[in-house]
Amino acid sequence: MLLGIGQQTSAQPRPSGGGGRCVVIDGETLLPVSHVSIYARENGAFHSVITDAHGRATVSFPFRRITVSHLNYEPLRLRRLADTIRLTPKYHLAAEVVVSSEPAWIRPLLRRFVKQKKLRYGCKPLTLAYRYDTRSIEGRSYYRYNSNGLLRMYREEQPPYAICQREGIITSVDSTRLTDLTNLRRMLYEDFVGEMDNGFIRTHRFAESDRENDLSDDEVELIFRSKRGGDDRGRFVIDTARLIVREARRTMGLKANRQARVSATMLALSRMMSGYNITAWDVDYAVSYAPTDSCWHPRDVRYKFFFRATENVREKEEARFDSLTGGGFSNMESTLTLFTQEYSKPPLVSQGREDSLTQSAHTHTLSPEDVEGDSLPVFKPLPRTWYIKINTDEERAYEIELSGMPARFVLLKEEE
């Protein structure tokens, strides 16, 4: 059976209603911003629309106050809908640069980085505290899941990641109580450094940007673009002396994601069986790295995922699986922060139960030994996500188990 995680499909495209029209642009570059959520909650009803590839949207629902929101911009709350809405970036987004000529020193440098990266990234077992926040706003649905606890990273194990959740909170407009770890897993497995290999170097062009501020003498920012097309592009800062990538940003569109994330054979099979067709797939990903005990790892990650697909036939077993796992979301914004901290061992939540831990009168910095003792809850493995795949009964059962992580439910208030 063909199943997908984080996908929402429909037999027909959703119609758009009439009403007030607007275009959302970046307040610095004046370029349109796609996949911006515009939503309001009035008289107990929640409504939203999403801007298209040109930053345009049509608002057909009444509101007293409306919210305009995007992961990379400061949110706006408006009483009136303007024709043009300018958003203030949370982070400086450098203008896109055309990669025309490539300096000869770049590829040898990147090949040395790939050869030596295992000595610096994921080079030893680490257990870090994590904060994960994910949100989906779509049509009449609002969903938000906040989770914190411990994340274990063991490169030699399969799967190499596991979490021990301390607290989970779901905010929704209805009684949804399922947890969604899909984007957390994507951010870990689709990591920029992890995917920087010799194949990546062969299929992309590189150039040096003109960025000089906040870079050390040995650091340089490189921009890249896929040789196959313009929908895989980005930039990263690399220390040329230590061979360390400090930060990166990558944008991938439909063509690039299909090539990188989906088997062509499975996609063709799904089209033949159900008419399944992916019509939109955009990812905006940014990450910064930090060292812990001389081992570098992601520190702050921002991930925006937008997906659309259609199909003619919907299998009953697949529909039942979606109901047990929440069905996935087609418009998601997520952040992940990993850090060491002074930690006092409060009760943690794991495997659907609360375990009382041995209380300590003092605090201490997290280490791998702190989470291996018998008094601590068992970590839940985080397998790689999949988009189109024939799954075993065991794999489906574990996806359902992950969707049942314990969480406190909060009903969305009208003023939120």
Short mmCIF file of all heavy atoms in Angstrom, two decimals, residues 122-166:
data_model
loop_
_atom_site.label_atom_id
_atom_site.label_comp_id
_atom_site.label_asym_id
_atom_site.label_seq_id
_atom_site.Cartn_x
_atom_site.Cartn_y
_atom_site.Cartn_z
N GLY A 122 28.67 14.94 14.34
CA GLY A 122 28.19 13.64 14.76
C GLY A 122 29.29 12.67 15.09
O GLY A 122 29.15 11.46 14.90
N CYS A 123 30.41 13.19 15.57
CA CYS A 123 31.60 12.37 15.78
C CYS A 123 31.56 11.59 17.08
O CYS A 123 32.41 10.72 17.31
CB CYS A 123 32.86 13.23 15.72
SG CYS A 123 32.80 14.69 16.80
N LYS A 124 30.63 11.88 17.97
CA LYS A 124 30.51 11.15 19.23
C LYS A 124 29.06 11.17 19.69
O LYS A 124 28.28 12.03 19.28
CB LYS A 124 31.42 11.76 20.30
CG LYS A 124 31.06 13.18 20.69
CD LYS A 124 31.95 13.72 21.80
CE LYS A 124 33.39 13.84 21.35
NZ LYS A 124 34.22 14.49 22.41
N PRO A 125 28.65 10.25 20.54
CA PRO A 125 27.28 10.28 21.06
C PRO A 125 27.02 11.55 21.86
O PRO A 125 27.86 11.98 22.66
CB PRO A 125 27.22 9.03 21.96
CG PRO A 125 28.33 8.16 21.50
CD PRO A 125 29.41 9.09 21.03
N LEU A 126 25.87 12.14 21.62
CA LEU A 126 25.48 13.35 22.35
C LEU A 126 24.05 13.23 22.82
O LEU A 126 23.20 12.68 22.12
CB LEU A 126 25.60 14.60 21.45
CG LEU A 126 26.99 15.13 21.10
CD1 LEU A 126 26.85 16.32 20.16
CD2 LEU A 126 27.76 15.51 22.35
N THR A 127 23.78 13.74 24.00
CA THR A 127 22.41 13.90 24.47
C THR A 127 22.23 15.36 24.85
O THR A 127 22.93 15.89 25.70
CB THR A 127 22.12 13.01 25.69
OG1 THR A 127 22.30 11.65 25.30
CG2 THR A 127 20.70 13.22 26.18
N LEU A 128 21.29 16.03 24.17
CA LEU A 128 21.06 17.45 24.34
C LEU A 128 19.60 17.69 24.72
O LEU A 128 18.73 16.87 24.43
CB LEU A 128 21.38 18.20 23.05
CG LEU A 128 22.80 18.05 22.51
CD1 LEU A 128 22.90 18.66 21.12
CD2 LEU A 128 23.81 18.71 23.44
N ALA A 129 19.36 18.81 25.35
CA ALA A 129 17.98 19.25 25.56
C ALA A 129 17.44 19.79 24.23
O ALA A 129 18.19 20.31 23.41
CB ALA A 129 17.93 20.33 26.63
N TYR A 130 16.14 19.64 24.01
CA TYR A 130 15.55 20.14 22.77
C TYR A 130 14.27 20.91 23.06
O TYR A 130 13.58 20.67 24.03
CB TYR A 130 15.25 18.99 21.79
CG TYR A 130 13.98 18.22 22.10
CD1 TYR A 130 12.73 18.63 21.61
CD2 TYR A 130 14.01 17.08 22.91
CE1 TYR A 130 11.58 17.92 21.90
CE2 TYR A 130 12.86 16.36 23.20
CZ TYR A 130 11.64 16.79 22.70
OH TYR A 130 10.49 16.11 22.99
N ARG A 131 13.97 21.84 22.17
CA ARG A 131 12.68 22.52 22.10
C ARG A 131 12.19 22.43 20.66
O ARG A 131 12.91 22.83 19.74
CB ARG A 131 12.79 23.99 22.53
CG ARG A 131 12.97 24.22 24.01
CD ARG A 131 12.68 25.68 24.39
NE ARG A 131 13.58 26.58 23.69
CZ ARG A 131 14.70 27.07 24.19
NH1 ARG A 131 15.08 26.72 25.42
NH2 ARG A 131 15.46 27.89 23.50
N TYR A 132 11.00 21.93 20.49
CA TYR A 132 10.43 21.74 19.15
C TYR A 132 9.06 22.40 19.10
O TYR A 132 8.24 22.21 20.00
CB TYR A 132 10.32 20.23 18.86
CG TYR A 132 9.55 19.87 17.63
CD1 TYR A 132 9.95 20.29 16.36
CD2 TYR A 132 8.40 19.06 17.72
CE1 TYR A 132 9.23 19.91 15.22
CE2 TYR A 132 7.70 18.68 16.58
CZ TYR A 132 8.11 19.11 15.34
OH TYR A 132 7.41 18.73 14.22
N ASP A 133 8.84 23.18 18.07
CA ASP A 133 7.56 23.85 17.88
C ASP A 133 7.15 23.68 16.42
O ASP A 133 7.94 23.97 15.51
CB ASP A 133 7.68 25.34 18.22
CG ASP A 133 6.38 26.09 17.98
OD1 ASP A 133 5.48 25.98 18.82
OD2 ASP A 133 6.28 26.77 16.94
N THR A 134 5.95 23.18 16.19
CA THR A 134 5.45 23.04 14.82
C THR A 134 4.02 23.53 14.75
O THR A 134 3.26 23.41 15.71
CB THR A 134 5.56 21.57 14.35
OG1 THR A 134 5.27 21.51 12.95
CG2 THR A 134 4.59 20.67 15.10
N ARG A 135 3.66 24.10 13.61
CA ARG A 135 2.34 24.71 13.46
C ARG A 135 1.84 24.51 12.04
O ARG A 135 2.62 24.55 11.08
CB ARG A 135 2.42 26.20 13.77
CG ARG A 135 1.07 26.90 13.74
CD ARG A 135 1.20 28.35 14.12
NE ARG A 135 1.95 29.11 13.12
CZ ARG A 135 2.02 30.43 13.08
NH1 ARG A 135 1.41 31.15 14.02
NH2 ARG A 135 2.71 31.04 12.15
N SER A 136 0.54 24.28 11.91
CA SER A 136 -0.10 24.19 10.61
C SER A 136 -1.37 25.03 10.62
O SER A 136 -2.18 24.93 11.54
CB SER A 136 -0.45 22.73 10.28
OG SER A 136 -1.17 22.66 9.07
N ILE A 137 -1.51 25.87 9.61
CA ILE A 137 -2.71 26.69 9.44
C ILE A 137 -3.24 26.45 8.04
O ILE A 137 -2.55 26.74 7.05
CB ILE A 137 -2.41 28.20 9.63
CG1 ILE A 137 -1.81 28.44 11.02
CG2 ILE A 137 -3.66 29.04 9.42
CD1 ILE A 137 -1.33 29.86 11.23
N GLU A 138 -4.43 25.91 7.94
CA GLU A 138 -4.94 25.52 6.63
C GLU A 138 -6.46 25.54 6.66
O GLU A 138 -7.09 24.85 7.47
CB GLU A 138 -4.46 24.12 6.28
CG GLU A 138 -4.92 23.64 4.94
CD GLU A 138 -3.79 23.63 3.94
OE1 GLU A 138 -2.63 23.63 4.36
OE2 GLU A 138 -4.07 23.62 2.74
N GLY A 139 -7.07 26.34 5.78
CA GLY A 139 -8.54 26.36 5.70
C GLY A 139 -9.17 26.75 7.02
O GLY A 139 -8.99 27.85 7.52
N ARG A 140 -9.91 25.81 7.63
CA ARG A 140 -10.55 26.07 8.92
C ARG A 140 -9.84 25.33 10.06
O ARG A 140 -10.43 25.11 11.12
CB ARG A 140 -12.01 25.65 8.86
CG ARG A 140 -12.82 26.44 7.84
CD ARG A 140 -14.30 26.16 7.94
NE ARG A 140 -15.06 26.96 6.99
CZ ARG A 140 -16.37 27.00 6.93
NH1 ARG A 140 -17.08 26.28 7.78
NH2 ARG A 140 -16.98 27.75 6.04
N SER A 141 -8.60 24.96 9.84
CA SER A 141 -7.87 24.17 10.82
C SER A 141 -6.65 24.92 11.34
O SER A 141 -5.90 25.53 10.55
CB SER A 141 -7.43 22.84 10.20
OG SER A 141 -6.57 22.13 11.05
N TYR A 142 -6.46 24.88 12.65
CA TYR A 142 -5.26 25.42 13.29
C TYR A 142 -4.71 24.34 14.22
O TYR A 142 -5.45 23.77 15.03
CB TYR A 142 -5.59 26.68 14.09
CG TYR A 142 -4.39 27.29 14.80
CD1 TYR A 142 -3.72 28.38 14.25
CD2 TYR A 142 -3.94 26.80 16.03
CE1 TYR A 142 -2.62 28.94 14.90
CE2 TYR A 142 -2.84 27.36 16.67
CZ TYR A 142 -2.20 28.43 16.11
OH TYR A 142 -1.11 28.99 16.75
N TYR A 143 -3.42 24.05 14.09
CA TYR A 143 -2.78 23.03 14.92
C TYR A 143 -1.39 23.51 15.31
O TYR A 143 -0.63 24.00 14.47
CB TYR A 143 -2.67 21.71 14.16
CG TYR A 143 -1.81 20.66 14.85
CD1 TYR A 143 -2.37 19.76 15.75
CD2 TYR A 143 -0.45 20.57 14.58
CE1 TYR A 143 -1.58 18.80 16.38
CE2 TYR A 143 0.35 19.62 15.20
CZ TYR A 143 -0.22 18.74 16.10
OH TYR A 143 0.56 17.79 16.72
N ARG A 144 -1.07 23.37 16.59
CA ARG A 144 0.27 23.72 17.07
C ARG A 144 0.70 22.71 18.13
O ARG A 144 -0.10 22.34 19.00
CB ARG A 144 0.31 25.13 17.64
CG ARG A 144 1.73 25.60 18.00
CD ARG A 144 1.76 27.08 18.26
NE ARG A 144 3.13 27.57 18.37
CZ ARG A 144 3.46 28.86 18.44
NH1 ARG A 144 2.51 29.78 18.40
NH2 ARG A 144 4.73 29.21 18.54
N TYR A 145 1.93 22.26 18.03
CA TYR A 145 2.46 21.28 18.98
C TYR A 145 3.81 21.76 19.48
O TYR A 145 4.73 22.01 18.69
CB TYR A 145 2.58 19.92 18.28
CG TYR A 145 3.32 18.85 19.05
CD1 TYR A 145 3.01 18.56 20.38
CD2 TYR A 145 4.32 18.10 18.44
CE1 TYR A 145 3.69 17.57 21.06
CE2 TYR A 145 4.99 17.11 19.11
CZ TYR A 145 4.67 16.84 20.43
OH TYR A 145 5.35 15.86 21.10
N ASN A 146 3.92 21.93 20.80
CA ASN A 146 5.17 22.30 21.45
C ASN A 146 5.65 21.11 22.26
O ASN A 146 4.88 20.51 23.01
CB ASN A 146 5.00 23.50 22.38
CG ASN A 146 4.48 24.72 21.65
OD1 ASN A 146 3.28 24.93 21.60
ND2 ASN A 146 5.36 25.50 21.09
N SER A 147 6.93 20.79 22.12
CA SER A 147 7.49 19.65 22.83
C SER A 147 8.88 20.01 23.31
O SER A 147 9.63 20.71 22.63
CB SER A 147 7.55 18.42 21.91
OG SER A 147 8.20 17.33 22.54
N ASN A 148 9.24 19.53 24.52
CA ASN A 148 10.60 19.71 25.00
C ASN A 148 11.03 18.49 25.79
O ASN A 148 10.19 17.74 26.31
CB ASN A 148 10.74 21.00 25.82
CG ASN A 148 9.96 20.93 27.13
OD1 ASN A 148 10.38 20.27 28.08
ND2 ASN A 148 8.82 21.61 27.17
N GLY A 149 12.32 18.29 25.88
CA GLY A 149 12.86 17.12 26.59
C GLY A 149 14.30 16.90 26.21
O GLY A 149 15.08 17.84 26.13
N LEU A 150 14.65 15.64 25.95
CA LEU A 150 16.02 15.27 25.61
C LEU A 150 16.05 14.60 24.25
O LEU A 150 15.19 13.79 23.92
CB LEU A 150 16.59 14.31 26.65
CG LEU A 150 16.61 14.79 28.12
CD1 LEU A 150 17.13 13.69 29.02
CD2 LEU A 150 17.47 16.03 28.25
N LEU A 151 17.08 14.92 23.46
CA LEU A 151 17.29 14.30 22.16
C LEU A 151 18.65 13.61 22.18
O LEU A 151 19.67 14.23 22.51
CB LEU A 151 17.25 15.34 21.05
CG LEU A 151 17.57 14.82 19.64
CD1 LEU A 151 16.42 13.95 19.13
CD2 LEU A 151 17.82 15.97 18.69
N ARG A 152 18.66 12.34 21.83
CA ARG A 152 19.89 11.56 21.79
C ARG A 152 20.32 11.38 20.34
O ARG A 152 19.51 11.01 19.49
CB ARG A 152 19.68 10.20 22.45
CG ARG A 152 20.96 9.40 22.64
CD ARG A 152 20.67 8.09 23.34
NE ARG A 152 19.86 7.21 22.50
CZ ARG A 152 19.35 6.06 22.92
NH1 ARG A 152 19.51 5.68 24.18
NH2 ARG A 152 18.65 5.29 22.10
N MET A 153 21.60 11.61 20.08
CA MET A 153 22.16 11.46 18.74
C MET A 153 23.32 10.47 18.81
O MET A 153 24.35 10.76 19.41
CB MET A 153 22.63 12.80 18.19
CG MET A 153 21.51 13.82 18.01
SD MET A 153 22.06 15.39 17.29
CE MET A 153 22.95 16.07 18.69
N TYR A 154 23.11 9.29 18.22
CA TYR A 154 24.14 8.25 18.17
C TYR A 154 24.35 7.89 16.70
O TYR A 154 23.52 7.23 16.10
CB TYR A 154 23.69 7.00 18.92
CG TYR A 154 23.91 7.04 20.41
CD1 TYR A 154 24.36 8.19 21.05
CD2 TYR A 154 23.68 5.92 21.18
CE1 TYR A 154 24.54 8.22 22.41
CE2 TYR A 154 23.87 5.93 22.55
CZ TYR A 154 24.30 7.10 23.17
OH TYR A 154 24.49 7.12 24.52
N ARG A 155 25.45 8.34 16.12
CA ARG A 155 25.67 8.15 14.70
C ARG A 155 25.71 6.68 14.30
O ARG A 155 25.28 6.29 13.22
CB ARG A 155 26.97 8.83 14.27
CG ARG A 155 27.16 8.90 12.76
CD ARG A 155 28.45 9.60 12.40
NE ARG A 155 29.61 8.80 12.76
CZ ARG A 155 30.85 9.21 12.67
NH1 ARG A 155 31.10 10.45 12.27
NH2 ARG A 155 31.86 8.43 13.00
N GLU A 156 26.24 5.83 15.18
CA GLU A 156 26.44 4.43 14.82
C GLU A 156 25.18 3.59 14.98
O GLU A 156 25.16 2.43 14.58
CB GLU A 156 27.56 3.83 15.67
CG GLU A 156 28.89 4.56 15.54
CD GLU A 156 29.38 4.63 14.10
OE1 GLU A 156 29.14 3.67 13.36
OE2 GLU A 156 29.99 5.65 13.72
N GLU A 157 24.13 4.12 15.59
CA GLU A 157 22.91 3.36 15.79
C GLU A 157 21.92 3.61 14.66
O GLU A 157 21.99 4.61 13.95
CB GLU A 157 22.25 3.73 17.13
CG GLU A 157 23.04 3.29 18.35
CD GLU A 157 22.27 3.50 19.63
OE1 GLU A 157 21.12 3.97 19.55
OE2 GLU A 157 22.82 3.21 20.70
N GLN A 158 21.00 2.68 14.48
CA GLN A 158 19.94 2.83 13.50
C GLN A 158 18.59 2.56 14.17
O GLN A 158 18.36 1.46 14.66
CB GLN A 158 20.15 1.86 12.32
CG GLN A 158 21.35 2.20 11.47
CD GLN A 158 21.26 3.58 10.83
OE1 GLN A 158 20.17 4.03 10.47
NE2 GLN A 158 22.39 4.25 10.70
N PRO A 159 17.72 3.56 14.22
CA PRO A 159 17.94 4.93 13.74
C PRO A 159 18.86 5.71 14.69
O PRO A 159 18.95 5.38 15.87
CB PRO A 159 16.54 5.53 13.73
CG PRO A 159 15.79 4.76 14.76
CD PRO A 159 16.33 3.38 14.74
N PRO A 160 19.55 6.73 14.19
CA PRO A 160 20.55 7.43 14.99
C PRO A 160 19.99 8.46 15.96
O PRO A 160 20.75 9.05 16.73
CB PRO A 160 21.41 8.12 13.93
CG PRO A 160 20.48 8.34 12.78
CD PRO A 160 19.54 7.17 12.79
N TYR A 161 18.66 8.69 15.95
CA TYR A 161 18.06 9.70 16.82
C TYR A 161 16.96 9.07 17.68
O TYR A 161 16.26 8.16 17.25
CB TYR A 161 17.45 10.84 15.99
CG TYR A 161 18.41 11.48 15.03
CD1 TYR A 161 18.32 11.23 13.65
CD2 TYR A 161 19.40 12.34 15.49
CE1 TYR A 161 19.21 11.82 12.77
CE2 TYR A 161 20.29 12.94 14.60
CZ TYR A 161 20.19 12.67 13.25
OH TYR A 161 21.07 13.25 12.38
N ALA A 162 16.83 9.62 18.89
CA ALA A 162 15.75 9.19 19.79
C ALA A 162 15.44 10.35 20.72
O ALA A 162 16.32 11.16 21.06
CB ALA A 162 16.16 7.96 20.59
N ILE A 163 14.17 10.45 21.16
CA ILE A 163 13.79 11.53 22.06
C ILE A 163 13.17 10.97 23.33
O ILE A 163 12.60 9.88 23.36
CB ILE A 163 12.81 12.54 21.42
CG1 ILE A 163 11.48 11.88 21.09
CG2 ILE A 163 13.41 13.21 20.23
CD1 ILE A 163 10.38 12.89 20.77
N CYS A 164 13.31 11.75 24.37
CA CYS A 164 12.64 11.51 25.64
C CYS A 164 11.86 12.79 25.94
O CYS A 164 12.44 13.79 26.36
CB CYS A 164 13.65 11.20 26.72
SG CYS A 164 12.95 10.95 28.35
N GLN A 165 10.56 12.79 25.66
CA GLN A 165 9.77 14.00 25.83
C GLN A 165 9.49 14.28 27.29
O GLN A 165 9.07 13.41 28.03
CB GLN A 165 8.44 13.87 25.08
CG GLN A 165 7.54 15.10 25.23
CD GLN A 165 6.26 14.97 24.46
OE1 GLN A 165 6.17 15.37 23.31
NE2 GLN A 165 5.23 14.40 25.08
N ARG A 166 9.75 15.51 27.69
CA ARG A 166 9.44 15.95 29.05
C ARG A 166 8.05 16.55 29.12
O ARG A 166 7.30 16.32 30.06
CB ARG A 166 10.48 16.97 29.51
CG ARG A 166 10.19 17.59 30.86
CD ARG A 166 11.22 18.66 31.19
NE ARG A 166 10.90 19.33 32.44
CZ ARG A 166 11.58 20.36 32.93
NH1 ARG A 166 12.62 20.83 32.24
NH2 ARG A 166 11.25 20.92 34.06
#
